[in-house]
Amino acid sequence: MCWVKEKSLNLPLNQSTSLMKKKILVLTGGGDCPGLNAVIRALTKAAKNNGAYEVWGSLEAFNGILQEPPEIVKLTPSKVAGIHVKGGTIIKTTNRGNPLDYPVQLADGSWTTKDVCQDLIQKIKDHQFEAIVNIGGDGSQMISQKLFELGLPIIGVPKTIDNDLSATDLTFGFTTAVQIATESFDKLVTTAESHHRVMIMEVMGRDAGWIALHTAIAGGAEICLIPEIPFDMDSVLKKVNKRYKKGKGFVNIVVAEGAKPVGGTVLGEASKDVGDRHIKLAGIANYIRRSLEDRNCPAQIRTTVLGHIQRGGTPLAFDRILATAMGVKAFEMIKAAEFGRMVTFRNNKINSVTLKVATSKYHHVDKKHYLIHTAKSIGISFGE
Ligand code: F6P
């Protein structure tokens, strides 16, 4: 009996292949994130323990399987032993591997992009992969949804430090990023206190303010600026001035990279890489510093852009556990042929939703979120 469901590739399972192990292809796409390796390990171990499956990794997202010869590796328990404590991804990643918009070099050396989905599907058939696990953020899961519509038996596992996927309460990597940001913030507070300075720390998060909001509360910031609440510089200056008396006092500000002033736009620049259409967000901390200086802010101001430090290093125990649970769930979904779905963590339970639902709404910080209320109640200003 063919275990692949109706909408999938309907790969032929003849007598000889039915005796062979069923092949799962796993890949990691988009930015790396603490916890990716824990998912890979859990999936590989669960498959091994089941006995009927084997797991292969496609290097650099779909790039690996698209190469000739393919860059794919068989993942065995020994290959994944101990990797749950490591940051990054042992199967590498890229944000230039979208099969719908794939970078291709022309004869004259210039680059363009094209849709290689049919090539990809053919290669997956040729290598007899019966299930694909795509570990990635919102962009990667939109790709998963398109490929599912084209018949690929695919399952999504959400990852991102930004926590910006609405179908899941948390993505692994986020808690680690918040911890890193908070520890960094604590280090800046001592300088702010000692020098009577304004210290501004810029954190990641793209169009969501989750990392900034959590860090501001955990670190005890005076001001927190997030994309969901455009800020007014005069209001920011007012809060700063309140903390300064006769040249004394200090202020710590956390600003999300995607924050913007009222009526303004985000700061950043378009990526120059072919096949990478995202804007590299950066510069808001310095914008705030200059705007405060222009308004004759009485204090010295320094900025820190935390950048990729937030995505690096070993995942916290919580993220390892969440990632492991998600890897196991992905395997169970494969066994049950629940394709076209993404693993979720909702109300303390591991579950799944359709990729369509998972990718239909961005997870912004709601202004009515209890943490906005918490922050305001302890005096944190959002620069409104
Ligand atoms: O989505 C994760 C993230 O780290 C964002 O917070 C950030 O804006 C972006 O990726 C940075 O991307 P890159 O690593 O391509 O510079």
Side-chain angles (χ1 to χ4, degrees):
M1 193 187 80
C2 179
W3 64 283
V4 178
K5 260 197 170 168
E6 240 189 320
K7 248 193 147 229
S8 68
L9 294 175
N10 282 325
L11 299 170
L13 284 187
N14 58 32
Q15 288 232 290
S16 61
T17 52
S18 67
L19 296 173
M20 286 159 47
K21 299 227 162 137
K22 295 168 184 171
K23 289 170 78 180
I24 300 169
L25 186 70
V26 62
L27 54 122
T28 49
D32 68 341
C33 168
L36 288 170
N37 284 327
V39 182
I40 295 166
R41 171 175 169 269
L43 177 69
T44 306
K45 282 184 156 236
K48 174 73 186 171
N49 289 340
N50 173 280
Y53 297 81
E54 61 187 29
V55 179
W56 290 69
S58 172
L59 301 186
E60 289 180 29
F62 287 111
N63 287 357
I65 182 83
L66 280 164
Q67 300 308 303
E68 205 49 69
E71 293 177 3
I72 53 177
V73 283
K74 188 168 168 191
L75 298 169
T76 57
S78 66
K79 278 218 176 82
V80 300
I83 64 168
H84 58 299
V85 306
K86 290 190 184 140
T89 159
I90 61 159
I91 53 174
K92 317 293 177 197
T93 186
T94 180
N95 45 20
R96 302 181 60 200
N98 180 353
L100 291 130
D101 198 19
Y102 200 74
V104 178
Q105 192 162 27
L106 301 174
D108 65 2
S110 64
W111 287 83
T112 184
T113 60
K114 75 171 195 182
D115 185 337
V116 296
C117 288
Q118 291 309 329
D119 282 8
L120 175 68
I121 288 172
Q122 192 53 51
K123 291 201 185 238
I124 286 169
K125 272 187 185 171
D126 293 347
H127 290 281
Q128 298 188 318
F129 286 112
E130 298 191 24
I132 318 298
V133 177
N134 190 7
I135 314 172
D138 57 339
S140 299
Q141 302 314 340
M142 282 177 198
I143 296 169
S144 299
Q145 168 61 17
K146 283 275 173 223
L147 293 171
F148 177 66
E149 283 167 16
L150 292 172
L152 215 59
I154 194 160
I155 284 167
V157 177
K159 71 84 220 184
T160 168
I161 62 162
D162 304 337
N163 202 35
D164 58 358
L165 280 129
S166 59
T168 185
D169 290 345
L170 280 174
T171 49
F172 58 84
F174 169 69
T175 306
T176 303
V178 169
Q179 184 66 26
I180 294 169
T182 303
E183 283 170 12
S184 309
F185 187 80
D186 292 346
K187 293 185 173 105
L188 296 172
V189 169
T190 53
T191 299
E193 281 176 331
S194 306
H195 285 258
H196 301 290
R197 278 183 179 164
V198 173
M199 300 298 280
I200 308 174
M201 188 174 86
E202 181 175 315
V203 296
M204 284 184 164
R206 292 218 71 78
D207 302 316
W210 294 111
I211 298 177
L213 176 61
H214 282 72
T215 304
I217 295 173
E222 282 73 41
I223 301 174
C224 173
L225 305 175
I226 60 174
E228 293 83 352
I229 306 179
F231 59 86
D232 170 33
M233 271 319 299
D234 291 332
S235 160
V236 173
L237 178 66
K238 206 164 149 199
K239 176 77 179 178
V240 170
N241 281 337
K242 246 184 160 177
R243 301 263 310 172
Y244 276 86
K245 297 272 174 305
K246 297 184 184 147
K248 303 253 185 290
F250 63 94
V251 179
N252 291 285
I253 303 178
V254 181
V255 58
E257 62 182 1
K260 49 192 173 304
V262 177
T265 50
V266 293
L267 294 178
E269 49 183 90
S271 170
K272 291 196 173 66
D273 297 338
V274 185
D276 175 9
R277 300 202 182 269
H278 86 283
I279 305 279
K280 289 188 265 181
L281 296 172
I284 191 66
N286 275 320
Y287 169 89
I288 294 163
R289 176 186 56 76
R290 281 194 304 271
S291 305
L292 285 172
E293 286 166 355
D294 290 348
R295 285 168 172 76
N296 299 318
C297 173
Q300 277 190 324
I301 309 166
R302 295 290 186 269
T303 55
T304 301
V305 179
L306 217 48
H308 293 80
I309 298 277
Q310 290 157 95
R311 281 188 358 207
T314 184
L316 287 180
F318 178 85
D319 281 335
R320 295 181 203 178
I321 296 163
L322 179 60
T324 302
M326 286 186 163
V328 168
K329 177 69 178 173
F331 178 67
E332 283 162 1
M333 287 163 69
I334 291 169
K335 278 196 302 174
E338 290 172 1
F339 298 114
R341 300 183 72 81
M342 187 188 81
V343 180
T344 60
F345 176 66
R346 260 266 144 94
N347 302 324
N348 219 21
K349 288 195 173 65
I350 295 290
N351 223 313
S352 71
V353 291
T354 62
L355 283 163
K356 200 165 190 172
V357 167
T359 53
S360 61
K361 198 169 148 230
Y362 190 80
H363 187 209
H364 282 294
V365 175
D366 184 342
K367 283 184 211 153
K368 294 199 181 96
H369 192 276
Y370 79 97
L371 285 180
I372 296 282
H373 170 73
T374 302
K376 285 185 177 173
S377 302
I378 58 165
I380 298 176
S381 163
F382 288 88
E384 290 164 280

